[in-house]
Amino acid sequence: MPAVTADPLTLPRVTAPADAVARPVRGVTTAPSGFEGEGFPVRRAFAGIHYRHLDPFIMMDQMGEVDYQPGEPKGTPWHPHRGFETVTYIIDGIFDHQDSNGGGGTITNGDTQWMTAGAGLLHIEAPPEHLVMSGGLFHGLQLWVNLPAKDKMMPPRYQDIRGGQVQLLTSSDGGALLRVIAGELDGHHGPGITHTPITMVHATLAPGAEITLPWREDFNSLAYVLAGRGTAGAERRPVHLGQTAVFGAGSSLTVRADDRQDSHTPNLEVVLLGGRPIREPMAHYGPFVMNTKDELQQAFEDFQKGRLGTIPAVHGMSEGGPQGARRA
């Protein structure tokens, strides 16, 4: 799990103030496994968590970790989106992406592709041909972030965030590497620009290391374990690969790595997420996230009539409609 690495001892240190109020752990859920796109494995990180604890986040899938044999790497067919933002974070491997507006690019180890679907577009993600031929390791995340009603029909846009652009920090004892992808942590800002205020941090904790970080009181707080095992909260609630800890109210959060990790997982890898709740009605079906059922119906009608764009002539539509298409 390389993503972006650095020597924590050379980085700015972050810790919560002594008078910070610790966020308790409301609960821990385990992600069920499934398949997306053309058949790549995912863990559905937020399954079973009520939206009031997720808002403004909608869903998150951990893609892989999977070591493909030659000919096995898979992507997604062309599919539409409207009404939200997608964040695709590649930890290992390579993904090419393209859309009906002429946008596109390649993201690889530690890169993030941030797509604001807004009023709508068609989109595809797939491994490059050379990776399909050779096989190899693939691991990443895709997060869906809601847009408030006032921004749902804004023009689509992209942010390609290279791994070297993320803000790197460490804990008070230097035992953790913190990669701030978006938002702010103790006055340090990540490169991702969001319409809905959020913080997204990928933390690597050495065995036995603990982080207690300041966290905005008006944000919710979630911790998803990408690899390894440890505890969440000052009460040390056990968590491991594929589990999400939901924190309650407070101004700091704590995560600790177990003293011993599995032989194939040297550290605890965790994604920390927080956002300011939008607190608006949400209507979500397939690839569209709107405020009302009528708006959902309009989105499907616009897609069927070609108003969300057309597939470039060099490509063909793999599927006839949006059914089952959830990914960006």
Side-chain angles (χ1 to χ4, degrees), residues 163-293:
Q165 296 176 294
V166 301
Q167 174 70 63
L168 300 180
L169 307 169
T170 189
S171 54
S172 59
D173 62 359
L177 174 61
L178 308 172
R179 306 166 187 86
V180 184
I181 297 169
E184 176 267 340
L185 185 63
D186 197 29
H188 303 275
H189 294 266
I193 300 171
T194 68
H195 291 279
T196 303
I198 74 166
T199 295
M200 181 178 182
V201 179
H202 174 189
T204 300
L205 285 75
E210 182 175 283
I211 54 175
T212 297
L213 305 178
W215 209 254
R216 283 181 51 166
E217 292 186 71
D218 60 335
F219 277 22
N220 59 10
S221 180
L222 306 157
Y224 176 74
V225 180
L226 289 166
R229 57 184 62 248
T231 61
E235 64 271 40
R236 295 196 173 183
R237 186 80 172 265
V239 290
H240 59 72
L241 167 65
Q243 291 191 316
T244 300
V246 179
F247 291 88
S251 56
S252 72
L253 63 83
T254 297
V255 176
R256 186 185 189 280
D258 283 357
D259 294 335
R260 299 186 65 178
Q261 299 292 328
D262 300 332
S263 59
H264 64 283
T265 305
N267 302 303
L268 173 66
E269 304 280 351
V270 61
V271 172
L272 305 174
L273 294 168
R276 188 170 67 201
I278 296 173
R279 295 192 176 95
E280 293 178 352
M282 184 184 70
H284 170 207
Y285 186 78
F288 304 124
V289 182
M290 305 303 293
N291 292 98
T292 68
K293 290 183 179 179

Side-chain angles (χ1 to χ4, degrees), residues 90-109:
I90 300 298
I91 299 168
D92 292 289
I94 307 173
F95 242 21
D96 290 337
H97 59 94
Q98 184 180 4
D99 72 27
S100 54
N101 287 352
T106 299
I107 48 176
T108 186
N109 301 343

Side-chain angles (χ1 to χ4, degrees), residues 58-83:
I58 302 162
M59 56 142 278
M60 186 170 74
D61 282 349
Q62 180 180 9
M63 306 179 292
E65 180 175 3
V66 57
D67 195 357
Y68 284 119
Q69 296 300 306
E72 287 186 341
K74 299 175 176 65
T76 70
W78 282 94
H79 55 279
H81 283 306
R82 173 180 280 180

